[in-house]
Amino acid sequence: MFWTRFAMLLKDVTQAPVNPRKKPRQARAQATVDAILQASAHILVRQGFDGFNTNAVAERAGVSVGSLYQYFPNKDAIIAEMVRAKRSRLLTGLQAAEAAHEDAGLSEVLAALVAATIAHQEGWPQLSQALDRAAALMPLSEEGAELTAAILGVLHRVLRHHDVADAEVASLDLLALCRGMIDAALLRGEQDMDLLQARVMRAVLGYLGLRAM
Amino acid sequence: MFWTRFAMLLKDVTQAPVNPRKKPRQARAQATVDAILQASAHILVRQGFDGFNTNAVAERAGVSVGSLYQYFPNKDAIIAEMVRAKRSRLLTGLQAAEAAHEDAGLSEVLAALVAATIAHQEGWPQLSQALDRAAALMPLSEEGAELTAAILGVLHRVLRHHDVADAEVASLDLLALCRGMIDAALLRGEQDMDLLQARVMRAVLGYLGLRAM
DNA sequence: TCAATATGTGAGTTATTACTCATGTTTTGG
DNA sequence: CCAAAACATGAGTAATAACTCACATATTGA
């Protein structure tokens, strides 16, 4: 019928509230969600973004597409959740490093933060990279934005605590600097993390006008 | 999601010299190609990768899809050409900076190189970023790879000429460091290029163990 | 002038894939 | 034990977009 061609005009004029999918309540549901996330990571690393489609993810996870869409409103939400989890882990690592060196000198705290950042990326650098890229291209969820702010916040707090001038800009610069160096190094397969750490620290301390430790 | 629309990673691993299309011979054909590239840039910046499809590009360029496919064998080739052109421009800028400071001290040459890099990204930071990202996801054309090597080569040569140890690794690190800081700063809308330059130089000189100029 | 060649056209073909829904199965609370 | 709620299924639908092709127009060179 001709009118079906106009059905699109009727749908969803009002903005959708980013589809509240159900949360898993039973253990098997949680297992399904975990399987989906694990399969997603696997596919992202092995096939890249091109192989990453919901059918493939569901198949590899051993669940049906229908199940996938019970817990993720759309494909992006899977990526968003992986990014969220990754950010959350980094934040935890940084906070731990901060706490463990509360009374130490600036260089020492920064070294701990850099080490935590490297360790965080090291495990699965290809997945880390893929997720970082995706994160840059996606509108962040509210929680994602909060986590990003909190990550920057740790650095900012440390710098201010040690009376660094322009802590605001410095934290942005240092984060970008570290990310750039670490990503590039891991991407080209670098193995020696201590060496990488030392090089990053030279740049960081140089930026701040401090001498090497 | 942008990545599903790119053939980049999976197709023709083993084959196809990715250029079986005709080169423009008449002026109007060159105009067509230019229009396509310009439209592509516009769409990439305004709509991102999601809006970047051949139909949209052709429409905005004011040509037909058929014409587009006369000069570009596939969608990726458009991006590849933009990346190639961008790399080529950067290389030219760096070589000019190098030549203009042949007999100067290391700090001075580096400052010129950093300035050239900033100037290069400054014009359209969003396009720069989009292309950088795309380049990371695409297999480089032969010429693209050569350009990348040449860009690194300039830095490498400068470092070696001034007897920097580990010039190989240092050039990789410094390039990544600069890219990271500059991209981030321009994307968040920073305006003061002299200030940015000074901050980048602090990191660069610190990395090399040199004092500020 | 007039073929040969270069360039331009855009509706149509085709493959892909995000996402739905009618229906079936399992778990839970009372 | 039994309904209701949670969970799972996967063939099917519909939208999208890469790319083709048969044909039209413009330019060139002799």
Side-chain angles (χ1 to χ4, degrees):
Chain A
M1 300 294 146
F2 81 96
W3 53 264
T4 55
R5 307 172 62 115
F6 301 105
M8 49 177 293
L9 296 179
L10 301 178
K11 76 176 172 188
D12 210 34
V13 176
T14 60
Q15 298 207 2
V18 197
N19 238 328
R21 247 36 174 199
K22 69 179 68 165
K23 296 277 182 205
R25 298 172 113 78
Q26 301 174 4
R28 64 182 170 141
Q30 185 59 53
T32 297
V33 169
D34 292 343
I36 290 167
L37 292 173
Q38 206 176 323
S40 296
H42 187 272
I43 288 178
L44 260 187
V45 169
R46 308 286 272 235
Q47 254 97 53
F49 287 111
D50 283 319
F52 186 76
N53 63 69
T54 52
N55 295 316
V57 168
E59 189 181 6
R60 162 126 207 133
V63 302
S64 67
V65 254
S67 289
L68 189 156
Y69 279 96
Q70 297 229 348
Y71 304 106
F72 298 96
N74 52 58
K75 195 168 75 157
D76 287 2
I78 304 174
I79 302 282
E81 169 55 23
M82 288 198 285
V83 171
R84 210 221 84 246
K86 181 173 180 289
R87 289 245 159 94
S88 177
R89 259 178 279 128
L90 174 58
L91 178 58
T92 303
L94 292 179
Q95 285 172 333
E98 182 192 13
H101 297 80
E102 203 168 355
D103 304 320
L106 178 52
S107 300
E108 195 179 322
V109 189
L110 288 173
L113 294 179
V114 169
T117 305
I118 291 177
H120 173 255
Q121 297 277 77
E122 190 187 353
W124 233 3
Q126 293 163 34
L127 181 59
S128 290
Q129 280 243 330
L131 291 179
D132 283 343
R133 254 193 273 284
L137 290 163
M138 291 173 64
L140 292 169
S141 69
E142 198 158 326
E143 199 189 346
E146 279 167 20
L147 283 169
T148 304
I151 287 168
L152 251 170
V154 171
L155 187 48
H156 186 241
R157 202 182 316 129
V158 165
L159 294 179
R160 277 187 60 91
H161 184 256
H162 289 84
D163 301 312
V164 169
D166 273 320
E168 200 82 48
V169 175
S171 52
L172 289 165
D173 278 340
L174 290 178
L175 197 64
L177 180 164
C178 291
R179 264 208 227 281
M181 286 186 69
I182 294 171
D183 277 5
L186 292 179
L187 181 68
R188 64 179 182 259
E190 201 163 313
Q191 300 288 328
D192 187 336
M193 294 305 136
D194 291 336
L195 181 54
L196 174 57
Q197 158 105 20
R199 303 205 310 273
V200 173
M201 285 305 291
R202 290 214 306 270
V204 168
L205 295 179
Y207 177 95
L208 293 172
L210 303 173
R211 281 271 38 84
M213 300 167 60
Chain B
M1 292 199 297
F2 81 95
W3 46 74
T4 57
R5 328 229 121 97
F6 282 76
M8 294 167 184
L9 293 179
L10 297 183
K11 280 182 188 166
D12 60 71
V13 174
T14 53
Q15 13 199 325
V18 200
N19 240 329
R21 247 39 172 201
K22 66 179 68 165
K23 297 275 184 205
R25 298 171 114 79
Q26 302 174 3
R28 62 185 173 138
Q30 186 57 56
T32 297
V33 169
D34 292 344
I36 289 167
L37 293 173
Q38 205 176 324
S40 296
H42 187 272
I43 288 178
L44 258 188
V45 169
R46 308 286 272 237
Q47 255 97 51
F49 284 102
D50 278 322
F52 186 77
N53 63 69
T54 52
N55 296 314
V57 167
E59 189 181 7
R60 163 132 205 125
V63 301
S64 67
V65 253
S67 290
L68 189 155
Y69 279 95
Q70 299 234 344
Y71 304 106
F72 298 97
N74 52 56
K75 195 170 74 159
D76 290 0
I78 304 174
I79 302 281
E81 169 54 24
M82 288 198 286
V83 170
R84 210 221 87 246
K86 181 173 180 289
R87 289 241 159 96
S88 177
R89 259 176 279 129
L90 175 58
L91 177 58
T92 303
L94 292 179
Q95 285 172 333
E98 182 193 14
H101 296 78
E102 203 168 353
D103 303 320
L106 179 54
S107 300
E108 195 179 323
V109 188
L110 289 173
L113 294 179
V114 169
T117 306
I118 290 177
H120 173 255
Q121 296 279 76
E122 190 186 352
W124 237 3
Q126 294 163 35
L127 180 60
S128 290
Q129 267 248 328
L131 290 180
D132 283 344
R133 251 186 256 291
L137 290 167
M138 292 174 67
L140 292 168
S141 69
E142 198 158 325
E143 198 189 345
E146 278 167 21
L147 283 169
T148 305
I151 287 168
L152 254 169
V154 172
L155 188 48
H156 186 241
R157 203 180 317 129
V158 166
L159 295 178
R160 277 187 59 92
H161 184 253
H162 288 85
D163 302 313
V164 169
D166 272 319
E168 199 84 47
V169 175
S171 52
L172 290 164
D173 278 340
L174 290 178
L175 197 65
L177 179 164
C178 291
R179 263 207 227 281
M181 284 185 69
I182 294 171
D183 277 6
L186 292 179
L187 271 187
R188 62 178 184 260
E190 202 163 313
Q191 301 288 329
D192 187 338
M193 294 304 138
D194 291 336
L195 181 54
L196 174 59
Q197 157 107 19
R199 303 205 310 273
V200 172
M201 284 306 291
R202 289 215 308 271
V204 167
L205 295 179
Y207 178 95
L208 293 172
L210 303 174
R211 280 275 34 87
M213 301 167 61

